[in-house]
Amino acid sequence: MKNKSLLASFAIAALLVAGCSNKILKSPVSYSKENVLETKVDSVLQLMTLEEKVGQLNQYNGFWDITGPTPKEGQAAKKYEDLKKGLVGSMLNVKGVKDVKALQKIAVEQTRLGIPLLFGFDVIHGYKTISPIPLAEAASWDLEAMKKSAAIAAEEAAAVGLNWTFAPMIDISRDARWGRVMEGAGEDPFLGSKIAVARVQGFQGEDLAAVNTILACAKHFAGYAFAESGRDYNTVDISETVLQNTIFPPFKAAVDAGVRTFMNSFNELNGIPATGNAYLQREVLKRDWKFDGFVVSDWGSINEMIPHGFAKDSKQAAEIAINAGSDMDMESSAYVEHLVALVKEGKVKESVIDDAARRILKVKFELGLFDDPYKYCDENRELATVGKAAFHEGVLDMAKKSIVLLKNEKELLPLKKSGQKIALIGALANDKTSPLGSWRIAADDNSAVSVLEGLQKYSGNQLKYVKGADVTEGRTQFIWETKINTTDKSGFAEAITAAKQADVVIMVLGEHGLQSGEGRSRTDIGLPGVQQELLETIYKVNPNVVLVLNNGRPLAIPWADENIPAIVEGWHLGTQSGNAIAQVLYGDYNPSGKLPMTFPRNVGQIPIYYNYKNTGRPVMNEPESVFWSHYIDEKNTPLYAFGHGLSYSKFEYSYLQLSSNKFSKNGKIEVSVNLKNTGKVAGKEVVQLYIRDLIGSTTRPVKELKGFEMIELQPNETKKVVFTIDEKTIEYFTANRKWEAEAGDFKVFIGGSSITKLEGDFQYSN
């Protein structure tokens, strides 16, 4: 086989400084692995024409049926010719060994230098075997489980020829109207940073050159989740304090964890589109954080600077984006069409092109593609890997850990395993597609285990299912919807009859899996369609209702909270959804999830989040006063707070102690609490540490998460949980425009949610 990638790989010897290659082989002390890699990259770069360098910066979406005839005309033919000329560096949305190998063969064996392609895909929470949506996984607060979930997704994706995922999304979000909250880790930068690291490590593993790992991509840099009105792609206008203390930390954590790619975002930030924002990409990411991977634009976002009013045409957009540090153009064709001319006109330095191409080539070397461009193209491995049993076991474990018990009055849960009549109501209970959630584009419809199927595995009770009402009218499409909320109540009568005859009613209500995600913002975050009316109707005839929510965002459900005795947050849990929910409902798994995002009482409270700042008038200063920060028609407090989550165990916190009430620079103190399981069954509790900086050079939040630990206890068992507080714990981006710890007074809180009862005080001096 003629493998031209070997030309690029082994031409190194001829291009090295005289004698260097021997020194590399014989003197590992003088020449590190990194030096060797950089030398290889530079050697390939020297072989390339300007056009070929620009080609590495060009990413195309799959543009023709690879098993069909070669495209002869139109845009597909143009892209095909670019591919054969070496003017494509990456492809996206091409999957399956057969297709990937066919395209890689063109790049490797028909172009002048044979430089291999990267193949990217949105492997967001699984490839074919689907884990819970990322927001649900975040509710587990189990970093090892999330790391394993990402590793499962990576192994399955790599087996079908992919080597790059556009995940994790690590945007911090405070607005449940924004549909993409389902794709992130919630509202808190500390938790979000820990999860970012876990997911990057899961995707990339310990060796990028291994055949079961893929490149991770930290997205969207930056501020995307702060879009005004919660409307996707909208303007973002925030302070530097919010940018530095809330938005940046997970991205910096991802860089420190070794993430190899970043994606910029659709939004503008302080008047400049992120794709053309040199401050974000050149100054912060590449200079200050020393990120040495590459940045890819989001889909078409380079050309989107034109309607933003920031570039007059595609050529100027290309100039702005490359100079700002956006290395790869996803599906705008702006770079491949204009960069060569821009260099010749002196508007873009060739050194800028070299830097971007070098970054991309380096990652390809790290993946081992120059050694074996077909390393991800093993059809036997594909057949043996996709959908294997171990993956299903893994996503089931992740799904159970993601479930949050929001309410459980009179211990209605767990269900008795025999002797009861149970009515199961709701279209989502018998849905095998919706549980897959949004962003699962390689999964097969109708492949999830439904709640009905999960409950049917428990045969001791008499189970009757009725739909009650649909959630949507007709099929909900991946890209768009028509009428998304049904108004049909014709199934209410049958549901009422079933509820009257039942001892317990389980109602599975919420959003269809594609009613959240990109482009799916909502102004009403209650139960869609007639589901709220169905819930109230059934409650009137049988109040023993267990409400199981399926949703991709926090919902406003104040009526349910006031009336329904048991509420389970069941999210969109993926392939094994129904089994996970059934095992929790029957008590074979004791729920331990905690909310990673605040649930509002009303959409009018949004944005609502636990780490808010006080106003100058935070509380009523006299009886009947109206002049303080509040609503006249709703409480300020959330429906369910960040960190909230119950268990079938009961946990008691007591005896908070500090090892000292003061420490100074380079010192530390310990804070501890006793945790006791006063319940009847073993269970896990996420113990949460919060701190408040009382006075700062800029105003500080009322509390901030600074630590957490999952503790498992047997009935009547007590453990002492200890956290360490040091200078790093209390630092933030101050008025001095740098990260530092300021001297002052602090409060420390420990509890099972952001609403805590135990607190202490300490001082820090520097």
Side-chain angles (χ1 to χ4, degrees):
M1 179 184 71
K2 184 181 179 184
N3 186 346
K4 287 194 175 181
S5 73
L6 296 179
L7 172 63
S9 187
F10 292 110
I12 297 163
L15 294 166
L16 293 174
V17 176
C20 247
S21 57
N22 289 331
K23 291 180 181 178
I24 291 172
L25 293 172
K26 297 176 181 178
S27 182
V29 174
S30 300
Y31 292 88
S32 68
K33 183 177 180 181
E34 182 66 19
N35 286 338
V36 173
L37 177 59
E38 294 291 347
T39 303
K40 289 180 178 180
V41 171
D42 287 341
S43 299
V44 174
L45 200 63
Q46 290 179 49
L47 293 171
M48 302 174 72
T49 65
L50 174 59
E51 288 79 4
E52 288 168 333
K53 293 173 188 175
V54 169
Q56 288 300 299
L57 281 52
N58 181 34
Q59 182 182 65
Y60 281 150
N61 185 39
F63 52 88
W64 103 97
D65 180 1
I66 300 159
T67 62
T70 301
K72 300 297 184 183
E73 58 184 19
Q75 189 65 19
K78 164 68 166 56
K79 290 182 175 182
Y80 181 71
E81 289 303 312
D82 284 349
L83 182 61
K84 290 199 301 180
K85 292 175 183 177
L87 301 183
V88 182
S90 174
M91 297 288 297
L92 74 157
N93 294 333
V94 177
K95 63 186 191 301
V97 165
K98 185 177 181 180
D99 286 358
V100 168
K101 190 172 185 178
L103 283 175
Q104 193 71 285
K105 189 171 184 178
I106 294 172
V108 170
E109 300 184 29
Q110 296 186 38
T111 65
R112 189 178 76 90
L113 293 178
I115 297 174
L117 298 167
L118 292 173
F119 288 88
F121 198 78
D122 285 293
V123 186
I124 305 302
H125 53 111
Y127 176 74
K128 188 73 72 173
T129 310
I130 304 299
S131 278
I133 58 171
L135 185 65
E137 288 193 353
S140 74
W141 293 53
D142 190 324
L143 301 176
E144 282 302 313
M146 285 181 265
K147 181 178 177 180
K148 180 180 178 182
S149 173
I152 289 171
E155 183 177 354
E156 195 170 47
V160 302
L162 301 170
N163 47 42
W164 184 15
T165 176
F166 303 121
M169 190 191 89
I170 53 180
D171 298 298
I172 299 301
S173 179
R174 298 167 168 175
D175 194 332
R177 294 172 298 181
W178 190 53
R180 294 194 85 165
V181 297
M182 57 74 52
E183 200 178 338
E187 71 189 45
D188 182 70
F190 182 86
L191 178 62
S193 296
K194 297 292 185 183
I195 292 174
V197 171
R199 287 179 172 152
V200 167
Q201 291 175 341
F203 285 127
Q204 296 190 168
E206 296 181 0
D207 182 8
L208 268 180
V211 294
N212 62 343
T213 63
I214 58 178
L215 298 171
C217 182
K219 67 182 189 184
H220 306 84
F221 198 60
Y224 186 32
F226 278 68
E228 289 182 356
S229 308
R231 196 175 77 238
D232 221 343
Y233 320 122
N234 204 7
T235 298
V236 173
D237 191 4
I238 55 175
S239 69
E240 185 178 37
T241 296
V242 172
L243 186 65
Q244 293 282 352
N245 289 301
T246 302
I247 293 172
F248 277 172
F251 290 102
K252 178 60 164 61
V255 172
D256 293 342
V259 71
R260 302 312 294 134
T261 71
F262 259 61
M263 181 184 289
N264 53 42
S265 52
F266 288 118
N267 59 283
E268 69 168 55
L269 180 66
N270 299 329
I272 300 176
T275 308
N277 197 309
Y279 167 71
L280 288 175
Q281 297 171 123
R282 291 269 180 224
E283 295 180 29
V284 174
L285 181 59
K286 295 180 178 178
R287 184 194 68 190
D288 297 347
W289 296 353
K290 297 178 172 53
F291 173 66
D292 64 349
F294 70 86
V295 180
V296 62
S297 78
D298 209 335
W299 182 287
S301 66
I302 292 178
N303 279 346
E304 286 187 11
M305 288 193 288
I306 302 169
H308 268 295
F310 199 68
K312 64 180 180 181
D313 54 26
S314 182
K315 185 175 182 179
Q316 187 183 24
E319 176 188 347
I320 292 169
I322 192 67
N323 284 330
S326 186
D327 300 307
M328 182 179 283
D329 173 6
M330 180 191 288
E331 196 57 25
S332 277
S333 299
Y335 282 2
V336 74
E337 296 290 339
H338 302 297
L339 282 186
V340 171
L342 287 166
V343 170
K344 291 178 179 179
E345 293 167 11
K347 295 179 179 178
V348 174
K349 294 180 180 179
E350 187 165 357
S351 61
V352 171
I353 307 297
D354 288 349
D355 176 66
R358 181 181 289 109
R359 289 169 178 271
I360 294 164
L361 291 170
K362 181 179 180 180
V363 168
K364 291 183 177 182
F365 269 109
E366 291 171 342
L367 284 169
L369 289 174
F370 280 96
D371 295 323
D372 180 5
Y374 304 113
K375 62 183 296 182
Y376 297 95
C377 298
D378 185 327
E379 292 184 354
N380 291 328
R381 184 168 63 239
E382 179 180 33
L383 187 63
T385 302
V386 174
K388 67 181 182 181
F391 293 167
H392 284 266
E393 293 171 6
V395 301
L396 174 59
D397 179 68
M398 187 74 256
K400 290 187 290 188
K401 290 175 176 176
S402 302
I403 293 171
V404 183
L405 181 60
L406 296 176
K407 184 180 178 184
N408 191 24
E409 288 184 350
K410 300 178 182 178
E411 297 187 345
L412 188 58
L413 293 175
L415 300 170
K416 297 176 183 178
K417 290 187 176 178
S418 63
Q420 288 193 316
K421 294 180 179 179
I422 296 177
L424 178 63
I425 299 173
L428 293 176
N430 193 30
D431 197 316
K432 294 171 61 63
T433 297
S434 177
L436 299 172
S438 195
W439 280 121
R440 41 76 178 173
I441 54 179
D444 297 322
D445 283 356
N446 211 40
S447 63
V449 177
S450 70
V451 175
L452 174 58
E453 290 172 325
L455 290 174
Q456 285 173 335
K457 294 178 181 178
Y458 292 83
S459 58
N461 288 319
Q462 184 178 332
L463 179 67
K464 180 177 178 59
Y465 167 72
V466 294
K467 182 170 66 173
D470 285 314
V471 179
T472 63
E473 288 193 11
R475 177 177 165 80
T476 304
Q477 302 296 323
F478 175 68
I479 299 298
W480 62 86
E481 299 89 17
T482 51
K483 293 181 69 175
I484 63 172
N485 295 334
T486 185
T487 58
D488 182 9
K489 295 186 285 186
S490 60
F492 276 31
E494 185 183 8
I496 292 170
T497 300
K500 286 180 177 179
Q501 297 171 352
D503 298 305
V504 178
V505 179
I506 301 172
M507 300 190 70
V508 184
L509 308 177
E511 301 176 309
H512 186 278
L514 297 179
Q515 285 180 302
S516 60
E518 184 174 352
R520 292 171 174 83
S521 300
R522 292 180 59 197
T523 60
D524 179 355
I525 57 169
L527 295 172
V530 296
Q531 292 179 99
Q532 179 63 38
E533 188 174 350
L534 176 63
L535 178 64
E536 294 182 27
T537 299
I538 297 303
Y539 176 78
K540 288 178 182 178
V541 300
N542 189 338
N544 291 325
V545 175
V546 176
L547 172 60
V548 177
L549 296 172
N550 284 179
N551 45 299
R553 53 161 58 84
L555 297 178
I557 51 167
W559 185 92
D561 176 68
E562 184 177 349
N563 294 280
I564 302 301
I567 304 176
V568 175
E569 177 50 84
W571 310 105
H572 298 128
L573 293 174
T575 303
Q576 289 291 324
S577 180
N579 287 332
I581 290 171
Q583 289 179 33
V584 166
L585 293 181
Y586 272 107
D588 286 339
Y589 188 87
N590 189 355
S592 58
K594 301 281 188 176
L595 293 179
M597 199 169 178
T598 301
F599 275 47
R601 298 177 184 276
N602 185 291
V603 71
Q605 290 181 303
I606 291 175
I608 184 170
Y609 46 97
Y610 86 92
N611 51 348
Y612 62 90
K613 295 182 178 182
N614 266 341
T615 69
R617 298 183 182 186
V619 295
M620 183 187 296
N621 54 15
E622 61 185 39
E624 307 305 322
S625 171
V626 72
F627 300 110
W628 62 289
S629 183
H630 72 297
Y631 303 102
I632 63 172
D633 61 348
E634 186 55 273
K635 299 175 182 178
N636 285 2
T637 56
L639 187 66
Y640 300 117
F642 173 85
H644 171 74
L646 305 177
S647 168
Y648 297 148
S649 308
K650 296 186 183 301
F651 296 102
E652 178 181 277
Y653 288 79
S654 65
Y655 200 48
L656 185 148
Q657 276 191 311
L658 282 80
S659 60
S660 174
N661 62 1
K662 61 180 63 176
F663 74 102
S664 57
K665 191 175 181 65
N666 299 322
K668 63 181 180 180
I669 59 174
E670 290 184 341
V671 56
S672 63
V673 69
N674 287 347
L675 179 71
K676 181 178 181 180
N677 181 354
T678 61
K680 299 177 182 178
V681 295
K684 296 177 182 178
E685 170 75 344
V686 180
V687 181
Q688 301 161 45
L689 170 76
Y690 297 86
I691 287 178
R692 180 176 183 182
D693 185 349
L694 294 176
I695 306 294
S697 60
T698 65
T699 56
R700 307 294 293 125
V702 295
K703 61 179 59 173
E704 296 177 287
L705 181 71
K706 292 295 182 180
F708 60 90
E709 187 172 345
M710 183 172 287
I711 304 296
E712 186 169 8
L713 296 174
Q714 297 297 317
N716 295 316
E717 183 182 6
T718 300
K719 282 186 181 178
K720 183 178 182 180
V721 185
V722 182
F723 296 96
T724 299
I725 299 173
D726 58 18
E727 187 178 352
K728 189 75 175 174
T729 311
I730 60 174
E731 72 176 13
Y732 74 105
F733 191 81
T734 71
N736 294 326
R737 303 191 74 252
K738 64 179 181 179
W739 282 81
E740 60 183 335
E742 292 182 328
D745 297 325
F746 296 80
K747 285 188 175 294
V748 58
F749 314 87
I750 296 182
S753 77
S754 57
I755 299 176
T756 57
K757 294 181 180 179
L758 299 180
E759 64 179 73
D761 302 274
F762 67 90
Q763 293 180 330
Y764 169 75
S765 59
N766 55 11

